[in-house]
Amino acid sequence: MGIVGAGPAGLLLGHLLHLNGIDSVVVENHSREHVIDRVRAGVLEQGTVDLLRAMGVGAGLQRTGLRHEGLYVSFQGLRHRIDLADLTAGKAITVYGQNEVVRDLIESRTATARPLYFEADHVAVSALDSSTPVLRFQHSGTDHEVHCDFVAGCDGFRGICRPSIPDGVLTVYERVYPFGWIGILADAAPTSDELIYTYHDRGFALFSMRSPKVTRLYVQVPPEEPIENWSDEGIWNEILARMTTRDGWQPNVGHIIQKAVVPLRSFVAAPMRYGRLFLAGDAAHIVPPTGAKGLNLAASDVLVLARALKAFYERGRTEWLAEYSDVCLRRVWKAQRFSWWMTSTLHRFPDATPFDYQRQIADLDYLTSSRAAMTSLAEQYVGLPMEVSYESAGLHV
Ligand code: FAD
Ligand code: DHB
């Protein structure tokens, strides 16, 4: 199996295949340090946590992951708690940085001594509609050519696999939002044990964390906003203006360790397969980060793919390979809908009318006062049940 990309999708798939005795080559164009240091997602669904544990890569998660049984939605200066565990018969989310997930998976891969190439150049895939697709790349000046049974395109939104599919095969569904987020990591002890999603007249803000000493915060800004326009003081002023609640709660201010602007986009390319190329994770779909689904969808895709590959290698069955895209897309579209709804409900749209504003407040009022509405949010936020069992992908729970 050729795997392009050593992000969460590629590394998880590589490890799932390893556990089933299936050989793979993972090829990544960035350095190991770059892949680990990239600051991205932080929320793992219950099912993603269970998956990592069942795969035997949950030790770090167990040690430093922060299990959250609730979250807050804040508007008009008041915080409202949604009890995720109570509403979902005990499920929760775990805050554990994507970079930690990736670090753990790289360590596990390295321990298996299976091939993982960083800083590969000229990565290309071809003969995708033949029975032996080819993965080519250059590493440390040497040309490599791998003749594979299958190729997994786990190379993210800007990778090379999706563009290698001939024109006319894929249908693309896309929505670009008229805003982005500034995300910061701050040396500041979190002042809330749980995440806070805030709707404010000045725009959306999100309080999260990475450890008992590090706070992660996001604020809505205009699209493609240059980060240079934002001094550290300017960012803190905006965060405090949006997040401070009437009871005086606010985040601690501290040294900003890292800051960056993230665009918001919904994107699906269907089907997630062409010949013997299977797309997984961000290579096939992007969700706006408001629902915290991106990393979790990468995990659910590769679980479905691992099940199909196991059935192929062990029993020569191809039905699950044929169903791969349909099975994944059902979950992807539900996550798209949820992420779009969270985004639409919590952000200030530049063209919003006073009617839109009142409707949004009513939406939030309903959400935080109806058990039915809170249950709907909770079951989606902790993650809908996986489409396939862990056992079907060779895991023992
Ligand atoms: P990626 O993590 O993108 O991994 C793809 C890998 O392929 C990368 O390592 C890349 O270097 C490599 N690659 C690319 N091109 C090639 C090539 N030609 N050859 C070889 N390798 C290649 N989600 C959330 O839920 N919450 C968040 O706060 C959040 N923040 C984000 C911030 C940013 C800036 C971005 C870009 C995404 C964010 N996401 C967030 C989304 C989440 O991080 C992704 O959904 C997740 O990383 C998807 O994993 P993946 O493995 O599919 O793709
Ligand atoms: C985090 C990111 C998100 O996009 C989100 O919805 C919740 C938390 C985070 O980075 O911690």
Side-chain angles (χ1 to χ4, degrees):
M1 183 88 194
I3 300 179
V4 186
L11 291 166
L12 280 168
L13 178 63
H15 201 66
L16 281 166
L17 296 182
H18 162 72
L19 294 172
N20 285 289
I22 301 168
D23 294 340
S24 65
V25 177
V26 182
V27 180
E28 163 65 47
N29 63 354
H30 286 91
S31 70
R32 181 191 180 106
E33 295 68 38
H34 176 89
V35 171
I36 292 176
D37 289 345
R38 267 186 311 213
V39 182
R40 287 182 164 185
V43 171
L44 304 184
E45 291 177 356
Q46 181 72 56
T48 306
V49 170
D50 296 343
L51 175 66
L52 292 169
R53 289 213 181 109
M55 289 172 65
V57 291
L61 182 63
Q62 185 70 30
R63 220 172 29 247
T64 59
L66 305 167
R67 181 179 155 90
H68 288 192
E69 298 202 338
L71 60 74
Y72 291 91
V73 173
S74 174
F75 63 102
Q76 296 183 321
L78 294 175
R79 277 177 296 158
H80 305 260
R81 185 167 186 271
I82 298 184
D83 192 328
L84 300 172
D86 177 50
L87 295 163
T88 62
K91 291 187 188 166
I93 53 118
T94 298
V95 174
Y96 189 62
Q98 178 168 336
N99 38 334
E100 303 301 329
V101 174
V102 167
R103 186 200 313 271
D104 296 347
L105 289 167
I106 291 175
E107 275 174 20
S108 303
R109 177 78 182 181
T110 309
T112 67
R114 289 184 182 273
L116 166 56
Y117 294 91
F118 287 103
E119 296 176 71
D121 289 319
H122 311 297
V123 181
V125 293
S126 55
L128 300 172
D129 56 354
S130 77
S131 59
T132 329
V134 181
L135 167 60
R136 285 194 185 83
F137 60 98
Q138 223 175 49
H139 188 257
S140 302
T142 306
D143 289 328
H144 294 252
E145 186 172 301
V146 190
H147 293 254
C148 311
D149 293 333
F150 302 98
V151 172
C154 301
D155 50 349
F157 185 59
R158 304 199 181 282
I160 51 103
C161 287
R162 197 181 63 250
S164 303
I165 297 175
D167 288 348
V169 171
L170 298 178
T171 304
V172 166
Y173 306 85
E174 188 168 27
R175 171 179 294 231
V176 177
Y177 297 87
F179 37 74
W181 288 5
I182 289 180
I184 66 162
L185 272 182
D187 250 331
T191 51
S192 165
D193 291 340
E194 295 174 339
L195 270 59
I196 305 172
Y197 286 85
T198 300
Y199 175 78
H200 188 275
D201 293 352
R202 300 177 69 89
F204 170 81
L206 170 59
F207 175 94
S208 181
M209 66 205 67
R210 283 297 177 272
S211 75
K213 290 186 177 156
V214 176
T215 305
R216 175 93 167 127
L217 295 147
Y218 298 93
V219 280
Q220 175 186 349
V221 292
E224 290 161 44
E225 179 85 338
I227 190 70
E228 298 73 38
N229 287 2
W230 288 80
S231 66
D232 290 4
E233 195 191 353
I235 294 176
W236 281 121
N237 287 343
E238 201 55 44
I239 286 171
L240 293 175
R242 296 185 195 184
M243 289 203 145
T244 304
T245 45
R246 277 193 241 160
D247 58 5
W249 180 87
Q250 57 181 41
N252 275 333
V253 172
H255 169 66
I256 296 183
I257 311 164
Q258 194 265 355
K259 57 179 173 181
V261 175
V262 186
L264 267 70
R265 176 194 301 275
S266 303
F267 175 94
V268 178
M272 291 167 57
R273 174 190 185 174
Y274 170 68
R276 287 191 167 225
L277 169 68
F278 293 84
L279 300 176
D282 279 15
H285 42 71
I286 296 283
V287 283
T290 327
K293 291 284 166 243
L295 169 58
N296 294 293
L297 282 179
S300 50
D301 284 354
V302 299
L303 177 68
V304 178
L305 187 52
R307 171 187 80 143
L309 291 166
K310 174 181 162 64
F312 175 82
Y313 283 106
E314 289 180 3
R315 286 174 278 141
R317 288 181 56 175
T318 56
E319 312 92 90
W320 284 347
L321 287 170
E323 279 173 19
Y324 167 74
S325 177
D326 288 347
V327 173
C328 290
L329 285 171
R330 285 187 67 195
R331 184 181 192 83
V332 166
W333 275 113
K334 278 179 262 184
Q336 286 290 1
R337 195 211 64 80
F338 178 67
S339 305
W340 160 85
W341 173 77
M342 287 280 280
T343 304
S344 309
T345 306
L346 287 161
H347 286 74
R348 199 73 214 253
F349 282 73
D351 60 353
T353 62
F355 177 89
D356 295 325
Y357 175 76
Q358 295 299 339
R359 184 192 48 73
Q360 239 171 325
I361 294 294
D363 214 340
L364 291 165
D365 191 8
Y366 173 61
L367 169 64
T368 52
S369 58
S370 152
R371 190 172 170 91
M374 285 190 277
T375 305
S376 170
L377 178 137
E379 68 174 2
Q380 296 181 84
Y381 197 76
V382 301
L384 296 171
M386 292 284 191
E387 283 60 32
V388 307
S389 69
Y390 300 119
E391 288 80 2
S392 68
L395 301 173
H396 305 287
V397 185

